[in-house]
Amino acid sequence: MSIDAQILMALRSAKNGGVSGADLSEKLGISRAAVWARIEELRALGYDIQASPHVGYKLVSIPDVLHADDLRSRLQDVKVVGRDIRVFQETTSTNDVVEKLARDGVKEGAVVFAESQSKGRGRLGRKWVSPPGKGLWFSVLLRPNFHPLCTTQLTVASATALVRAIRSQTGVQAEIKWPNDILICGKKVAGILTELSAEIDSVKYVIIGIGVDVNLQNSDFPPEVRNIATSLQVESRRHVNRADLATAILREFDIDYGRICAGQFEKVAEQWEQQCSTLGHNVCIRVGDRTVYGHAEALDTDGALLVRTQHGHLERIIGGDVTLEK
Ligand code: BTN
């Protein structure tokens, strides 16, 4: 871990609110002058660190920037998701960056964030607007040992993780529209793009791309989605710190990924069913060039949606575009 990350970690866990330069110097094995120089660097990045003779250095507030070392230092406890974090100022799409990492053999759990994306993409070939500094645009590399058909479990897990993290960080209760939209009061606040490389019966790697509209204003959205999109800032009426939200999401996702790998998808599904606004509704689902009408009854063990069709039989849907019917 870098010196900066260690300093931030020590400041965060300081019991009486501060840490002396001497303690930091001893802990990190560097001179007090070197500690001071690093503190100055952190201040230049926007970390508000006060220094006083009695309390020592004290972390007062953190800036709304994504700092790989800092994120990593806050995720000491994760088993897989977030154990390797990379932050780019700009990329085409974080899914593309992660795909390259995957082909280069990088271990699962790596996460790539971008402050902005020039070619952010959504499902069904849609564009995903990703303005600088206003959202969380990131992708997670996973290498689960399961059948490609189970990949929907990961989309489901990331959706429930998002709902829990949004709740803990903003107090806002979001809901899930199967399989990958996160809504607040019926408007979309986050989306998940799951991409996969697989053999016929085994997954090589999965990329979970997540976009969260954190501090966007209504005017930041393209006119065509202004009525159907929202942001956490708009809904909670306060600025949301992206680093806090990012660490909360990754920690929650890591827990659910652990459950899935341990064969306990039902625990994830249970939560998902409570948070999902699709279940119990009549739905219209576009699956390729086919349209399925029916009643969304439950989630199958692999994450598929079980829909009782107009003709009375139960159809398993593994992907599609859902509209709620009256
Ligand atoms: C959707 O709802 O259509 C999915 C949107 C997914 C957007 C995220 S932002 C990070 C990652 N990189 C991309 O290009 N897309 C995903």
Side-chain angles (χ1 to χ4, degrees):
M1 202 190 304
S2 74
I3 295 285
D4 288 3
Q6 292 180 60
I7 291 177
L8 289 168
M9 217 166 82
L11 293 181
R12 273 206 184 86
S13 53
K15 293 260 160 31
N16 62 353
V19 196
S20 72
D23 282 354
L24 282 173
S25 151
E26 195 188 315
K27 200 169 182 170
L28 307 181
I30 58 174
S31 68
R32 286 176 68 171
V35 168
W36 180 81
R38 294 318 310 161
I39 297 270
E40 284 299 294
E41 282 291 321
L42 288 167
R43 283 179 175 149
L45 287 171
Y47 290 87
D48 184 358
I49 302 170
Q50 280 177 2
S52 72
H54 300 302
V55 184
Y57 292 112
K58 184 175 174 185
L59 184 60
V60 177
S61 70
I62 60 170
D64 192 17
V65 292
L66 301 173
H67 185 297
D69 280 342
D70 184 31
L71 294 172
R72 184 65 204 94
S73 76
R74 293 165 70 177
L75 289 166
Q76 299 286 315
D77 50 335
V78 296
K79 296 209 166 54
V80 176
V81 179
R83 60 186 173 183
D84 170 354
I85 292 187
R86 307 173 193 211
V87 177
F88 290 77
Q89 283 312 300
E90 181 173 322
T91 56
T92 48
S93 155
T94 53
N95 273 34
D96 294 344
V97 179
V98 167
E99 182 171 15
K100 186 164 181 322
L101 296 182
R103 287 213 230 99
D104 289 348
V106 165
K107 270 172 47 178
E108 70 166 346
V111 182
V112 170
F113 287 88
E115 285 288 5
S116 76
Q117 299 183 115
S118 55
K119 289 194 181 137
R121 55 177 187 271
R123 286 174 68 234
L124 309 170
R126 292 178 189 134
K127 191 172 169 255
W128 185 266
V129 176
S130 328
K134 298 208 167 185
L136 287 177
W137 329 123
F138 66 100
S139 303
V140 182
L141 169 62
L142 298 173
R143 298 182 184 276
N145 184 13
F146 60 33
H147 193 279
L149 283 175
C150 291
T151 306
T152 309
Q153 291 185 0
L154 300 176
T155 312
V156 165
S158 49
T160 70
L162 276 166
V163 169
R164 292 199 302 272
I166 288 173
R167 179 69 194 251
S168 72
Q169 296 303 305
T170 68
V172 173
Q173 184 62 56
E175 60 192 26
I176 301 167
K177 190 179 108 179
W178 187 88
N180 72 329
D181 284 352
I182 308 299
L183 312 181
I184 299 175
C185 298
K187 288 186 168 186
K188 180 158 168 172
V189 73
I192 302 157
L193 176 67
T194 303
E195 295 180 325
L196 159 85
S197 169
E199 305 282 354
I200 200 90
D201 57 1
S202 70
V203 167
K204 283 207 259 178
Y205 57 83
V206 179
I207 300 167
I208 307 286
I210 297 179
V212 189
D213 293 324
V214 183
N215 291 315
L216 285 85
Q217 306 297 321
N218 200 248
S219 55
D220 290 319
F221 293 105
E224 63 277 16
V225 300
R226 264 178 215 160
N227 288 338
I228 53 169
T230 190
S231 75
L232 294 177
Q233 177 166 14
V234 168
E235 297 301 325
S236 67
R237 296 204 179 86
R238 65 177 183 87
H239 185 273
V240 176
N241 185 281
R242 291 175 308 139
D244 289 343
L245 180 64
T247 48
I249 296 170
L250 296 179
R251 193 171 286 118
E252 295 293 349
F253 191 18
D254 185 62
I255 294 171
D256 278 354
Y257 186 56
R259 289 180 173 143
I260 289 175
C261 292
Q264 297 169 346
F265 176 65
E266 71 282 355
K267 289 197 177 145
V268 181
E270 214 173 274
Q271 279 225 330
W272 184 93
E273 283 176 352
Q274 288 160 12
Q275 299 161 343
C276 177
S277 59
T278 312
L279 292 185
H281 279 90
N282 290 332
V283 289
C284 159
I285 310 179
R286 263 189 32 231
V287 187
D289 47 16
R290 205 164 64 91
T291 305
V292 178
Y293 292 94
H295 187 77
E297 286 202 344
L299 197 63
D300 208 350
T301 45
D302 58 359
L305 188 67
L306 296 175
V307 177
R308 180 77 56 191
T309 69
Q310 296 157 305
H311 313 292
H313 56 257
L314 207 53
E315 184 155 347
R316 277 170 41 83
I317 311 282
I318 58 166
D321 219 17
V322 177
T323 321
L324 298 188
E325 299 278 281
K326 290 267 150 56

